[in-house]
Amino acid sequence: MTALLKLTGVTAYYGAIQALKGVDLEVNKGEIVTLIGSNGAGKSTLMMTICGNPRARDGHIHYDSQEITRLPTFEIMRRGLAQSPEGRRIFPRMTVHENLLMGAFGRPPHEAVQTMEQVFTLFPRLKERMAQRGGTLSGGEQQMLAIGRALMSRPRLLLLDEPSLGLAPLVVKLIFGAIRELNRTTGLTVLLVEQNAFQALRLAHRGYVLVNGAITMAGPGAELLARPEIRAAYLEGAH
Amino acid sequence: MSKYPAALGGKSQPPALVRVVRDAGLSAIVAFGLFASMIGLRLFPTGNGMKLHYRWLMLAAVVVAVFAGRVIMLTWRANRPAGTPQPRRIAEAINHAGKYVGAVFLIAAATLPLYGGRYFIDTGILVMTYVMLGWGLTIVVGLAGLLDLGYVAFYAVGAYSYALLSTTYHLGFWTTLPIAGLLAAVWGILLGFPVLRLRGDYLAIVTLAFGEIIRVVLINWTSFTGGPNGITDIPRPTLFGLKFNGSGDPDTFAAFFGIDYSLTQRVVFLYYVIFGLALLTNWVSLRLRRLPLGRAWEALREDEIACRALGINVTVTKLTAFAIGAMFGGFAGAFFATRQAFVSPESFNFGESALVLAIVVLGGLGSQLGVALAAVVMIGGSELFRDFAEYRMLVFGVGLVVMMVLRPRGLVSGRTPSIALGARKEIAAELVAQGRG
Ligand SMILES: Nc1ncnc2c1ncn2[C@@H]1O[C@H](COP(=O)(O)OP(=O)(O)OP(=O)(O)O)[C@@H](O)[C@H]1O
Ligand SMILES: [Mg+2]
């Protein structure tokens, strides 16, 4: 198996604060990999650093065997990565349709029509609400829109930052189901950040645990789920 | 319901009449404080100095008017039927009627020289110039959300480009127009680079300074710009080479068509030039909105981080907004120079930037029709009050405040989607526009 995304010794800073302290991580083609960790561990920072904002100070990031560490964000995103960032960040005053089109920025227009249909098969709710403003969607619908918008660029690697945030269990199930479905049918590679460690580890092929900006554990999802220290730190109280 | 009046009005509330009188009295006192020196006192120049006049009667009249106005307003507000508040209903009406209002406007504007006199057309030219400036600035402020307080700088660049090129190199208006736009666009990019990282207040301050710098340079670079004296004898535009003057030469408009020369011909021609330029601005902005670039501007206004995550080159997107907005400012400037036949730095002070921005904000930040309406109201309105020159700014200010109270999001608020999906399911668009975002 070849690594689609490979991070070696990546560090990132916010001014003087070091948010990532030498992260090594690999995502293979066709895999769902999850990254779990407590609040402030640096998960979102890691996702953003992959996209070059903030840029990694040390270490290397390779995507598809090419170094992308020093590329500007828009160059990186044009190579087949897409991110649904933390907090959804849809465009509130634009319609669902326009939001989706923004996801296809820089892609040929005829392709967008086709991709949009695929997004609608995945989330039929979005089709019903095509003319509605993004800001008036419910939280779950906004999350679907954020994921749908990321898919509009036809990525090979999808970065999802806490897609389950603030959603009812049923909607979480729907969204996780959609991720699994995409992965199975199109071979989409997914890097998933989650607070909901139990569900995430069950969904993912492999998982990483991030503590204070450094990876402390890695392994297949089921294996991590079985570990007592994981259960104690991330699953206590849940399920 | 009548059983618990206190629960509605609050326990310690005095009776309604007392409250109204107290409130109105307070307004009257404020009015007195404001106007005592402005209206109550007046200086008259006499042969050997100044003489002070007291106008107590006038002051009293104003204070009484404020008192009465406040009483009427409070009573009206108290007796207003429950339900949709007035402003919202007006807003809906405007939004629904938008299409028709726009069409009526366009026809009225296109036929203006047929029914308007010379003064009317002149005012029309002025209004149209501001409509164009408003539409140009809408690209920067309304679509891309970059608060630019120095827009007049590009207007100045355009005006001086034409003035200098036509007087030194004898280039015609139509040749120079694109050059003026291009030069303004270059200045837009020059301004854009240093302010790329700035947002909101900081961006506003830097653009404000930029506008002032251009003006100060124009004043002080005497050898190049003529300094405070400006540039005179700027040639008028021609119609396919036909000039507008009364010399009777074969290459004049009047001689070519074998009609008598009148000044109105030139005024009407100028009117249609600016009308065409304004329409061009509108057409380009509407087109751009439907293209990925225009949509990226709007997205940028909403969420810059999301834009980055979607692979949009934020730098280029911002710079193009500055450049294209500036280009239209430059076109308008070139027109201004050819219309006045004279430019001087005085015409490009901060007041102009503020006026254009006020038009854009009043119009509803991004609404093409709103900008046109606002320009008519503000420029046409202040022309109307020219006879009351001393109260012009007062009326203007009061008008702005009233507007912002009644329609805090501008005349025509609510963003129209760049892609229409038929009339179906335009759900709660007005709610988003009014309440959030
Ligand atoms: N823009 C920023 N400027 C300064 N510090 C930041 C910034 N963004 C994040 N940080 C800091 O970096 C650390 C990692 O933050 P990050 O958002 O990556 O955490 P996270 O693992 O995603 O947490 P959560 O689960 O709460 O989303 C935190 O200590 C945070 O305070
Ligand atoms: Mg996070």
Side-chain angles (χ1 to χ4, degrees), chain A residues 32-64:
Chain A
I32 301 179
V33 172
T34 187
L35 183 67
I36 58 174
S38 51
N39 293 120
K43 304 181 297 296
S44 301
T45 307
L46 182 58
M47 298 293 253
M48 293 304 285
T49 304
I50 293 169
C51 301
N53 178 38
R55 200 158 293 172
R57 191 174 290 182
D58 315 296
H60 302 276
I61 305 173
H62 285 85
Y63 174 74
D64 209 10

PDB file of all heavy atoms in Angstrom, chain A residues 32-64:
ATOM      1  N   ILE A  32      -9.750   5.002   5.669  1.00  0.00           N
ATOM      2  CA  ILE A  32     -10.316   6.019   6.555  1.00  0.00           C
ATOM      3  C   ILE A  32      -9.447   6.025   7.806  1.00  0.00           C
ATOM      4  O   ILE A  32      -9.305   4.997   8.471  1.00  0.00           O
ATOM      5  CB  ILE A  32     -11.770   5.699   6.956  1.00  0.00           C
ATOM      6  CG1 ILE A  32     -12.661   5.603   5.720  1.00  0.00           C
ATOM      7  CG2 ILE A  32     -12.307   6.770   7.896  1.00  0.00           C
ATOM      8  CD1 ILE A  32     -14.107   5.270   6.054  1.00  0.00           C
ATOM      9  N   VAL A  33      -8.826   7.161   8.069  1.00  0.00           N
ATOM     10  CA  VAL A  33      -7.972   7.269   9.248  1.00  0.00           C
ATOM     11  C   VAL A  33      -8.568   8.324  10.156  1.00  0.00           C
ATOM     12  O   VAL A  33      -8.986   9.390   9.703  1.00  0.00           O
ATOM     13  CB  VAL A  33      -6.533   7.660   8.845  1.00  0.00           C
ATOM     14  CG1 VAL A  33      -5.695   7.971  10.071  1.00  0.00           C
ATOM     15  CG2 VAL A  33      -5.895   6.568   8.017  1.00  0.00           C
ATOM     16  N   THR A  34      -8.619   8.010  11.435  1.00  0.00           N
ATOM     17  CA  THR A  34      -9.167   9.007  12.348  1.00  0.00           C
ATOM     18  C   THR A  34      -8.102   9.499  13.303  1.00  0.00           C
ATOM     19  O   THR A  34      -7.149   8.793  13.629  1.00  0.00           O
ATOM     20  CB  THR A  34     -10.377   8.456  13.121  1.00  0.00           C
ATOM     21  OG1 THR A  34     -10.950   9.525  13.870  1.00  0.00           O
ATOM     22  CG2 THR A  34      -9.977   7.344  14.074  1.00  0.00           C
ATOM     23  N   LEU A  35      -8.284  10.738  13.709  1.00  0.00           N
ATOM     24  CA  LEU A  35      -7.356  11.378  14.626  1.00  0.00           C
ATOM     25  C   LEU A  35      -8.178  11.806  15.824  1.00  0.00           C
ATOM     26  O   LEU A  35      -9.110  12.596  15.685  1.00  0.00           O
ATOM     27  CB  LEU A  35      -6.745  12.595  13.928  1.00  0.00           C
ATOM     28  CG  LEU A  35      -5.682  13.397  14.661  1.00  0.00           C
ATOM     29  CD1 LEU A  35      -4.426  12.577  14.825  1.00  0.00           C
ATOM     30  CD2 LEU A  35      -5.370  14.671  13.880  1.00  0.00           C
ATOM     31  N   ILE A  36      -7.869  11.211  16.997  1.00  0.00           N
ATOM     32  CA  ILE A  36      -8.623  11.628  18.170  1.00  0.00           C
ATOM     33  C   ILE A  36      -7.693  12.295  19.168  1.00  0.00           C
ATOM     34  O   ILE A  36      -6.462  12.153  19.103  1.00  0.00           O
ATOM     35  CB  ILE A  36      -9.376  10.440  18.832  1.00  0.00           C
ATOM     36  CG1 ILE A  36      -8.411   9.341  19.239  1.00  0.00           C
ATOM     37  CG2 ILE A  36     -10.440   9.902  17.898  1.00  0.00           C
ATOM     38  CD1 ILE A  36      -9.079   8.226  20.005  1.00  0.00           C
ATOM     39  N   GLY A  37      -8.264  13.032  20.088  1.00  0.00           N
ATOM     40  CA  GLY A  37      -7.468  13.751  21.075  1.00  0.00           C
ATOM     41  C   GLY A  37      -8.370  14.720  21.802  1.00  0.00           C
ATOM     42  O   GLY A  37      -9.437  15.072  21.306  1.00  0.00           O
ATOM     43  N   SER A  38      -7.906  15.144  22.976  1.00  0.00           N
ATOM     44  CA  SER A  38      -8.765  16.022  23.773  1.00  0.00           C
ATOM     45  C   SER A  38      -8.749  17.441  23.202  1.00  0.00           C
ATOM     46  O   SER A  38      -7.999  17.744  22.269  1.00  0.00           O
ATOM     47  CB  SER A  38      -8.319  16.011  25.227  1.00  0.00           C
ATOM     48  OG  SER A  38      -6.943  16.264  25.281  1.00  0.00           O
ATOM     49  N   ASN A  39      -9.549  18.316  23.798  1.00  0.00           N
ATOM     50  CA  ASN A  39      -9.619  19.702  23.341  1.00  0.00           C
ATOM     51  C   ASN A  39      -8.252  20.368  23.428  1.00  0.00           C
ATOM     52  O   ASN A  39      -7.555  20.233  24.426  1.00  0.00           O
ATOM     53  CB  ASN A  39     -10.606  20.507  24.195  1.00  0.00           C
ATOM     54  CG  ASN A  39     -12.034  20.039  23.987  1.00  0.00           C
ATOM     55  OD1 ASN A  39     -12.696  19.617  24.917  1.00  0.00           O
ATOM     56  ND2 ASN A  39     -12.483  20.090  22.762  1.00  0.00           N
ATOM     57  N   GLY A  40      -7.886  21.042  22.386  1.00  0.00           N
ATOM     58  CA  GLY A  40      -6.620  21.769  22.395  1.00  0.00           C
ATOM     59  C   GLY A  40      -5.413  20.903  22.124  1.00  0.00           C
ATOM     60  O   GLY A  40      -4.274  21.350  22.275  1.00  0.00           O
ATOM     61  N   ALA A  41      -5.626  19.656  21.726  1.00  0.00           N
ATOM     62  CA  ALA A  41      -4.496  18.766  21.470  1.00  0.00           C
ATOM     63  C   ALA A  41      -3.750  19.173  20.199  1.00  0.00           C
ATOM     64  O   ALA A  41      -2.573  18.870  20.038  1.00  0.00           O
ATOM     65  CB  ALA A  41      -4.990  17.333  21.354  1.00  0.00           C
ATOM     66  N   GLY A  42      -4.450  19.842  19.307  1.00  0.00           N
ATOM     67  CA  GLY A  42      -3.805  20.267  18.064  1.00  0.00           C
ATOM     68  C   GLY A  42      -4.360  19.582  16.830  1.00  0.00           C
ATOM     69  O   GLY A  42      -3.764  19.645  15.751  1.00  0.00           O
ATOM     70  N   LYS A  43      -5.518  18.951  16.969  1.00  0.00           N
ATOM     71  CA  LYS A  43      -6.102  18.212  15.836  1.00  0.00           C
ATOM     72  C   LYS A  43      -6.433  19.152  14.676  1.00  0.00           C
ATOM     73  O   LYS A  43      -6.052  18.906  13.536  1.00  0.00           O
ATOM     74  CB  LYS A  43      -7.378  17.486  16.291  1.00  0.00           C
ATOM     75  CG  LYS A  43      -7.168  16.560  17.473  1.00  0.00           C
ATOM     76  CD  LYS A  43      -8.447  15.862  17.865  1.00  0.00           C
ATOM     77  CE  LYS A  43      -9.556  16.796  18.340  1.00  0.00           C
ATOM     78  NZ  LYS A  43      -9.262  17.530  19.558  1.00  0.00           N
ATOM     79  N   SER A  44      -7.151  20.243  15.005  1.00  0.00           N
ATOM     80  CA  SER A  44      -7.528  21.178  13.933  1.00  0.00           C
ATOM     81  C   SER A  44      -6.290  21.822  13.334  1.00  0.00           C
ATOM     82  O   SER A  44      -6.221  22.045  12.115  1.00  0.00           O
ATOM     83  CB  SER A  44      -8.457  22.256  14.478  1.00  0.00           C
ATOM     84  OG  SER A  44      -9.608  21.668  15.019  1.00  0.00           O
ATOM     85  N   THR A  45      -5.316  22.111  14.191  1.00  0.00           N
ATOM     86  CA  THR A  45      -4.076  22.684  13.695  1.00  0.00           C
ATOM     87  C   THR A  45      -3.421  21.749  12.692  1.00  0.00           C
ATOM     88  O   THR A  45      -2.947  22.182  11.633  1.00  0.00           O
ATOM     89  CB  THR A  45      -3.116  22.953  14.872  1.00  0.00           C
ATOM     90  OG1 THR A  45      -3.792  23.734  15.844  1.00  0.00           O
ATOM     91  CG2 THR A  45      -1.875  23.669  14.399  1.00  0.00           C
ATOM     92  N   LEU A  46      -3.424  20.450  13.017  1.00  0.00           N
ATOM     93  CA  LEU A  46      -2.819  19.475  12.109  1.00  0.00           C
ATOM     94  C   LEU A  46      -3.525  19.485  10.752  1.00  0.00           C
ATOM     95  O   LEU A  46      -2.878  19.502   9.697  1.00  0.00           O
ATOM     96  CB  LEU A  46      -2.895  18.081  12.747  1.00  0.00           C
ATOM     97  CG  LEU A  46      -2.260  16.952  11.940  1.00  0.00           C
ATOM     98  CD1 LEU A  46      -0.794  17.236  11.681  1.00  0.00           C
ATOM     99  CD2 LEU A  46      -2.417  15.628  12.666  1.00  0.00           C
ATOM    100  N   MET A  47      -4.853  19.526  10.802  1.00  0.00           N
ATOM    101  CA  MET A  47      -5.622  19.558   9.549  1.00  0.00           C
ATOM    102  C   MET A  47      -5.283  20.802   8.739  1.00  0.00           C
ATOM    103  O   MET A  47      -5.126  20.742   7.515  1.00  0.00           O
ATOM    104  CB  MET A  47      -7.124  19.567   9.858  1.00  0.00           C
ATOM    105  CG  MET A  47      -7.602  18.349  10.587  1.00  0.00           C
ATOM    106  SD  MET A  47      -7.506  16.889   9.576  1.00  0.00           S
ATOM    107  CE  MET A  47      -9.216  16.622   9.221  1.00  0.00           C
ATOM    108  N   MET A  48      -5.207  21.925   9.432  1.00  0.00           N
ATOM    109  CA  MET A  48      -4.930  23.173   8.729  1.00  0.00           C
ATOM    110  C   MET A  48      -3.495  23.195   8.210  1.00  0.00           C
ATOM    111  O   MET A  48      -3.221  23.742   7.142  1.00  0.00           O
ATOM    112  CB  MET A  48      -5.166  24.377   9.651  1.00  0.00           C
ATOM    113  CG  MET A  48      -6.613  24.589  10.060  1.00  0.00           C
ATOM    114  SD  MET A  48      -7.736  24.758   8.676  1.00  0.00           S
ATOM    115  CE  MET A  48      -7.363  26.411   8.128  1.00  0.00           C
ATOM    116  N   THR A  49      -2.574  22.615   8.983  1.00  0.00           N
ATOM    117  CA  THR A  49      -1.173  22.616   8.565  1.00  0.00           C
ATOM    118  C   THR A  49      -0.983  21.797   7.287  1.00  0.00           C
ATOM    119  O   THR A  49      -0.176  22.149   6.427  1.00  0.00           O
ATOM    120  CB  THR A  49      -0.279  22.071   9.691  1.00  0.00           C
ATOM    121  OG1 THR A  49      -0.518  22.852  10.856  1.00  0.00           O
ATOM    122  CG2 THR A  49       1.190  22.163   9.325  1.00  0.00           C
ATOM    123  N   ILE A  50      -1.758  20.717   7.182  1.00  0.00           N
ATOM    124  CA  ILE A  50      -1.692  19.930   5.942  1.00  0.00           C
ATOM    125  C   ILE A  50      -2.035  20.830   4.755  1.00  0.00           C
ATOM    126  O   ILE A  50      -1.443  20.744   3.682  1.00  0.00           O
ATOM    127  CB  ILE A  50      -2.660  18.726   6.021  1.00  0.00           C
ATOM    128  CG1 ILE A  50      -2.174  17.744   7.096  1.00  0.00           C
ATOM    129  CG2 ILE A  50      -2.769  18.033   4.666  1.00  0.00           C
ATOM    130  CD1 ILE A  50      -3.176  16.672   7.438  1.00  0.00           C
ATOM    131  N   CYS A  51      -2.990  21.742   4.993  1.00  0.00           N
ATOM    132  CA  CYS A  51      -3.400  22.663   3.928  1.00  0.00           C
ATOM    133  C   CYS A  51      -2.522  23.912   3.859  1.00  0.00           C
ATOM    134  O   CYS A  51      -2.827  24.842   3.108  1.00  0.00           O
ATOM    135  CB  CYS A  51      -4.849  23.080   4.136  1.00  0.00           C
ATOM    136  SG  CYS A  51      -5.978  21.697   4.154  1.00  0.00           S
ATOM    137  N   GLY A  52      -1.493  23.965   4.683  1.00  0.00           N
ATOM    138  CA  GLY A  52      -0.539  25.064   4.566  1.00  0.00           C
ATOM    139  C   GLY A  52      -0.936  26.353   5.265  1.00  0.00           C
ATOM    140  O   GLY A  52      -0.439  27.415   4.919  1.00  0.00           O
ATOM    141  N   ASN A  53      -1.815  26.273   6.243  1.00  0.00           N
ATOM    142  CA  ASN A  53      -2.255  27.484   6.928  1.00  0.00           C
ATOM    143  C   ASN A  53      -2.657  27.166   8.355  1.00  0.00           C
ATOM    144  O   ASN A  53      -3.785  26.785   8.588  1.00  0.00           O
ATOM    145  CB  ASN A  53      -3.451  28.095   6.173  1.00  0.00           C
ATOM    146  CG  ASN A  53      -3.973  29.328   6.861  1.00  0.00           C
ATOM    147  OD1 ASN A  53      -3.208  30.110   7.378  1.00  0.00           O
ATOM    148  ND2 ASN A  53      -5.290  29.482   6.881  1.00  0.00           N
ATOM    149  N   PRO A  54      -1.784  27.238   9.355  1.00  0.00           N
ATOM    150  CA  PRO A  54      -0.413  27.733   9.310  1.00  0.00           C
ATOM    151  C   PRO A  54       0.520  26.728   8.651  1.00  0.00           C
ATOM    152  O   PRO A  54       0.253  25.533   8.671  1.00  0.00           O
ATOM    153  CB  PRO A  54      -0.067  27.879  10.782  1.00  0.00           C
ATOM    154  CG  PRO A  54      -0.893  26.839  11.462  1.00  0.00           C
ATOM    155  CD  PRO A  54      -2.163  26.771  10.688  1.00  0.00           C
ATOM    156  N   ARG A  55       1.597  27.224   8.116  1.00  0.00           N
ATOM    157  CA  ARG A  55       2.541  26.363   7.425  1.00  0.00           C
ATOM    158  C   ARG A  55       3.405  25.608   8.449  1.00  0.00           C
ATOM    159  O   ARG A  55       3.675  26.116   9.518  1.00  0.00           O
ATOM    160  CB  ARG A  55       3.433  27.219   6.543  1.00  0.00           C
ATOM    161  CG  ARG A  55       4.085  26.440   5.461  1.00  0.00           C
ATOM    162  CD  ARG A  55       4.499  27.330   4.329  1.00  0.00           C
ATOM    163  NE  ARG A  55       3.377  27.922   3.610  1.00  0.00           N
ATOM    164  CZ  ARG A  55       3.533  28.849   2.680  1.00  0.00           C
ATOM    165  NH1 ARG A  55       4.726  29.281   2.383  1.00  0.00           N
ATOM    166  NH2 ARG A  55       2.504  29.342   2.066  1.00  0.00           N
ATOM    167  N   ALA A  56       3.795  24.388   8.071  1.00  0.00           N
ATOM    168  CA  ALA A  56       4.675  23.609   8.944  1.00  0.00           C
ATOM    169  C   ALA A  56       6.032  24.301   9.033  1.00  0.00           C
ATOM    170  O   ALA A  56       6.559  24.761   8.023  1.00  0.00           O
ATOM    171  CB  ALA A  56       4.843  22.208   8.383  1.00  0.00           C
ATOM    172  N   ARG A  57       6.585  24.400  10.264  1.00  0.00           N
ATOM    173  CA  ARG A  57       7.895  25.046  10.376  1.00  0.00           C
ATOM    174  C   ARG A  57       9.016  24.042  10.098  1.00  0.00           C
ATOM    175  O   ARG A  57       9.936  24.323   9.340  1.00  0.00           O
ATOM    176  CB  ARG A  57       8.070  25.663  11.762  1.00  0.00           C
ATOM    177  CG  ARG A  57       9.287  26.566  11.808  1.00  0.00           C
ATOM    178  CD  ARG A  57       9.413  27.297  13.115  1.00  0.00           C
ATOM    179  NE  ARG A  57       8.383  28.323  13.300  1.00  0.00           N
ATOM    180  CZ  ARG A  57       8.329  29.114  14.364  1.00  0.00           C
ATOM    181  NH1 ARG A  57       9.220  28.986  15.323  1.00  0.00           N
ATOM    182  NH2 ARG A  57       7.383  30.013  14.490  1.00  0.00           N
ATOM    183  N   ASP A  58       8.933  22.858  10.728  1.00  0.00           N
ATOM    184  CA  ASP A  58       9.902  21.797  10.424  1.00  0.00           C
ATOM    185  C   ASP A  58       9.149  20.596   9.869  1.00  0.00           C
ATOM    186  O   ASP A  58       7.925  20.525   9.954  1.00  0.00           O
ATOM    187  CB  ASP A  58      10.649  21.352  11.693  1.00  0.00           C
ATOM    188  CG  ASP A  58      11.091  22.524  12.517  1.00  0.00           C
ATOM    189  OD1 ASP A  58      11.922  23.295  12.017  1.00  0.00           O
ATOM    190  OD2 ASP A  58      10.567  22.681  13.648  1.00  0.00           O
ATOM    191  N   GLY A  59       9.914  19.650   9.376  1.00  0.00           N
ATOM    192  CA  GLY A  59       9.326  18.417   8.891  1.00  0.00           C
ATOM    193  C   GLY A  59       8.836  18.515   7.465  1.00  0.00           C
ATOM    194  O   GLY A  59       9.005  19.546   6.809  1.00  0.00           O
ATOM    195  N   HIS A  60       8.255  17.431   6.994  1.00  0.00           N
ATOM    196  CA  HIS A  60       7.825  17.370   5.599  1.00  0.00           C
ATOM    197  C   HIS A  60       6.421  16.819   5.489  1.00  0.00           C
ATOM    198  O   HIS A  60       6.031  15.942   6.246  1.00  0.00           O
ATOM    199  CB  HIS A  60       8.770  16.474   4.793  1.00  0.00           C
ATOM    200  CG  HIS A  60      10.186  16.942   4.846  1.00  0.00           C
ATOM    201  ND1 HIS A  60      10.666  17.906   4.006  1.00  0.00           N
ATOM    202  CD2 HIS A  60      11.206  16.599   5.669  1.00  0.00           C
ATOM    203  CE1 HIS A  60      11.938  18.138   4.295  1.00  0.00           C
ATOM    204  NE2 HIS A  60      12.289  17.356   5.315  1.00  0.00           N
ATOM    205  N   ILE A  61       5.692  17.353   4.545  1.00  0.00           N
ATOM    206  CA  ILE A  61       4.376  16.804   4.228  1.00  0.00           C
ATOM    207  C   ILE A  61       4.409  16.389   2.766  1.00  0.00           C
ATOM    208  O   ILE A  61       4.732  17.197   1.894  1.00  0.00           O
ATOM    209  CB  ILE A  61       3.264  17.841   4.461  1.00  0.00           C
ATOM    210  CG1 ILE A  61       3.323  18.370   5.889  1.00  0.00           C
ATOM    211  CG2 ILE A  61       1.897  17.227   4.164  1.00  0.00           C
ATOM    212  CD1 ILE A  61       2.376  19.513   6.166  1.00  0.00           C
ATOM    213  N   HIS A  62       4.117  15.115   2.523  1.00  0.00           N
ATOM    214  CA  HIS A  62       4.070  14.626   1.155  1.00  0.00           C
ATOM    215  C   HIS A  62       2.654  14.236   0.810  1.00  0.00           C
ATOM    216  O   HIS A  62       1.980  13.577   1.601  1.00  0.00           O
ATOM    217  CB  HIS A  62       4.997  13.420   0.961  1.00  0.00           C
ATOM    218  CG  HIS A  62       6.433  13.799   0.903  1.00  0.00           C
ATOM    219  ND1 HIS A  62       7.197  13.951   2.038  1.00  0.00           N
ATOM    220  CD2 HIS A  62       7.239  14.068  -0.160  1.00  0.00           C
ATOM    221  CE1 HIS A  62       8.423  14.303   1.673  1.00  0.00           C
ATOM    222  NE2 HIS A  62       8.478  14.392   0.345  1.00  0.00           N
ATOM    223  N   TYR A  63       2.225  14.656  -0.354  1.00  0.00           N
ATOM    224  CA  TYR A  63       0.920  14.213  -0.842  1.00  0.00           C
ATOM    225  C   TYR A  63       1.148  13.585  -2.201  1.00  0.00           C
ATOM    226  O   TYR A  63       1.739  14.215  -3.088  1.00  0.00           O
ATOM    227  CB  TYR A  63      -0.038  15.408  -0.954  1.00  0.00           C
ATOM    228  CG  TYR A  63      -1.359  15.050  -1.587  1.00  0.00           C
ATOM    229  CD1 TYR A  63      -2.309  14.331  -0.868  1.00  0.00           C
ATOM    230  CD2 TYR A  63      -1.635  15.397  -2.898  1.00  0.00           C
ATOM    231  CE1 TYR A  63      -3.514  13.977  -1.438  1.00  0.00           C
ATOM    232  CE2 TYR A  63      -2.844  15.056  -3.486  1.00  0.00           C
ATOM    233  CZ  TYR A  63      -3.780  14.339  -2.751  1.00  0.00           C
ATOM    234  OH  TYR A  63      -4.969  13.988  -3.321  1.00  0.00           O
ATOM    235  N   ASP A  64       0.710  12.328  -2.323  1.00  0.00           N
ATOM    236  CA  ASP A  64       0.891  11.635  -3.589  1.00  0.00           C
ATOM    237  C   ASP A  64       2.366  11.648  -4.009  1.00  0.00           C
ATOM    238  O   ASP A  64       2.691  11.951  -5.151  1.00  0.00           O
ATOM    239  CB  ASP A  64       0.022  12.321  -4.664  1.00  0.00           C
ATOM    240  CG  ASP A  64      -0.401  11.341  -5.737  1.00  0.00           C
ATOM    241  OD1 ASP A  64      -0.187  10.133  -5.530  1.00  0.00           O
ATOM    242  OD2 ASP A  64      -0.936  11.791  -6.759  1.00  0.00           O
TER     243      ASP A  64
END
